[in-house]
Each structure stands twice: as structure tokens, then as C-alpha cells.
């Protein structure tokens, strides 16, 4: 069964609206619940990062393999408590193809929303491909800070370092993830900037996405 995710604002009443700025409004009641409480608890997940996407798409498969081979050892060296959670279509739970220290393979998950909210920082280390990355927009909506490449941010009118972190080399990509894991104030600033970006450029009438 499919349901639509609407990247936009649902009004909550005059009294509640007066207590929130425009960016916060983007994050409320999008699919019938207030996600601010989930995002505010992100600090409790500050050692976690994740990737979610179809592993039947070769670009995703290559990007995850590169991340695990080149970036993940660097992240573990600086944060031995770090966890990487992987989910998506075409994955089998505990798939040994992607095994490693601190790596958890969930296979296909019923709710990308719940998976994202539970696992902290979204990593989108794309090395090829084109088109707008809907999972980046979805992660931003749910308050997850995003680290991606210049290819990953193609099609999005974002400012690197504001709404998301951008890096192309393995060392820089790893550093961006480690920095977000250790800096709650940076996570909060990036989250608010992401919501402001969604409010301005991806409202209900302009951008909806079907997902299972």
C-alpha cells in the first residue's frame, strides 16, 4: 500500500503556529504526527549513520561499497562506537556482502520514515547517477543531517555546509560524518536550515513522493 509524503506545511491552529518559526512548521504533522520530538532526540543517536535506498540500482550499490571500503574505517578510527545501518530494496537482512565492524544490515524495511528517525545521520555517497535524490529530501524532512557528494546534491538548490554537508574524497566524507556525530549544535543548525529550504522550495503543491 502506498501513501504520499507531502513536503510542506499543515496548519495546526493559530496558537500553535505563533510558537513556531517557518522552518519548524515544515516539520510538523506532515504525515499525521509531530516529528519535532523525534528530531530533538537525535543527540541520543549521535553515533549512528545510515543509508537507505534500492540496492538494485547499481549507483547505490557502488556508493555503499565505496563508503564501507574507503570511509567507514576512517570513521571507526575516530569514533569506535560508530554504527552504520543499511536498508533498502534488494537487501537481505544481515547480508554478508556488506558485513563489517559496526555495520548493521536491516534488509528491506516497512517504513523508511521510522528507519531514518532511528538511525541519525543520512549518508548519500553517490559517485554516479542523475536526478533529484528524493531520499535526501525525505531525510531532511525527518530532521536527519545529510552528508553527500557533489553528484548527490545535483538537482538541489542547496548551499553546501548549510542544509547539508558535501565531500567527494573519502577522508573529507568521513570527517564530515564524524563532525556531525560529535556536534549537536551543528546538527540542530543544519536541521533548521534544511526545514527552511523545504519550506521555500518544496511545498505540498510542488513536490510529493509516493513510497511504500
Amino acid at each position: 500500500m502506498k501513501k504520499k509524503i507531502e513536503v510542506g506545511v499543515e496548519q495546526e491552529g493559530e496558537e500553535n503556529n505563533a510558537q513556531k518559526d517557518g522552518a519548524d512548521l515544515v516539520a510538523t504533522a506532515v504525515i499525521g504526527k509531530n516529528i519535532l520530538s523525534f528530531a530533538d532526540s537525535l543527540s541520543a543517536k549521535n553515533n549512528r549513520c545510515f543509508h537507505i535506498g534500492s540496492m538494485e540500482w547499481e549507483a547505490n550499490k557502488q556508493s555503499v561499497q565505496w563508503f564501507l571500503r574507503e570511509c567507514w574505517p576512517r570513521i571507526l578510527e575516530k569514533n569506535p562506537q560508530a554504527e552504520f545501518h543499511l536498508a533498502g530494496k534488494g537487501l537481505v537482512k544481515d547480508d554478508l556482502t556488506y558485513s563489517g565492524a559496526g555495520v548493521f544490515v536491516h534488509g528491506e524495511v516497512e517504513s523508511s520514515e521510522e528507519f531514518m528517525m532511528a538511525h541519525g545521520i543520512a549518508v548519500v555517497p553517490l559517485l554516479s547517477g542523475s536526478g533529484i535524490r528524493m531520499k535526501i529530501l525525505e531525510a531532511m524532512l525527518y530532521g536527519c543531517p545529510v552528508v553527500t557528494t557533489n553528484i548527490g546534491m545535483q538537482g538541489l538548490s542547496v548551499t553546501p555546509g548549510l542544509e547539508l554537508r558535501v565531500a567527494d574524497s573519502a577522508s573529507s566524507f568521513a570527517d564530515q560524518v564524524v563532525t556531525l556525530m560529535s556536534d549537536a549544535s551543528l546538527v540542530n543548525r543544519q536541521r533548521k536550515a534544511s526545514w527552511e529550504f523545504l519550506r521555500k522550495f518544496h511545498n505540498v503543491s510542488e513536490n510529493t513522493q509516493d513510497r511504500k
Side-chain angles (χ1 to χ4, degrees), residues 88-142:
K89 186 178 180 181
L91 271 178
V92 178
K93 184 175 173 60
D94 299 325
D95 189 337
L96 295 178
T97 305
Y98 304 100
S99 63
V103 177
F104 301 84
V105 181
H106 296 253
E108 295 189 37
V109 293
E110 291 187 4
S111 171
S112 59
E113 168 201 353
E114 292 178 3
F115 179 82
M116 289 180 176
M117 288 182 177
H119 295 110
I121 300 162
V123 296
V124 188
L126 277 172
L127 306 176
S128 62
S130 60
I132 295 177
R133 322 303 179 186
M134 297 306 295
K135 288 301 181 189
I136 289 181
L137 294 177
E138 195 175 357
M140 292 166 69
L141 176 65
Y142 296 139

Side-chain angles (χ1 to χ4, degrees), residues 158-172:
V158 293
T159 302
L162 183 61
E163 299 96 348
L164 45 71
R165 322 301 290 180
V166 178
D168 288 325
S169 71
S171 59
S172 181

Side-chain angles (χ1 to χ4, degrees), residues 24-99:
D24 282 348
L25 278 171
V26 176
T28 55
V30 177
I31 51 176
K33 64 181 70 173
N34 188 324
I35 69 169
L36 289 171
S37 60
F38 289 93
D40 286 340
S41 69
L42 190 62
S43 59
K45 311 177 185 73
N46 61 354
N47 290 321
R48 297 180 184 178
C49 61
F50 71 87
H51 180 279
I52 183 169
S54 173
M55 298 303 284
E56 294 178 348
W57 187 38
E58 190 63 27
N60 276 344
K61 188 182 299 185
Q62 291 176 354
S63 69
V64 169
Q65 290 172 342
W66 174 80
F67 176 78
L68 287 173
R69 183 178 65 251
E70 304 293 339
C71 304
W72 189 239
R74 291 177 165 91
I75 293 171
L76 282 180
E77 183 178 355
K78 296 182 178 181
N79 183 355
Q81 305 303 314
E83 299 177 4
F84 176 54
H85 294 261
L86 181 60
K89 186 178 180 181
L91 271 178
V92 178
K93 184 175 173 60
D94 299 325
D95 189 337
L96 295 178
T97 305
Y98 304 100
S99 63

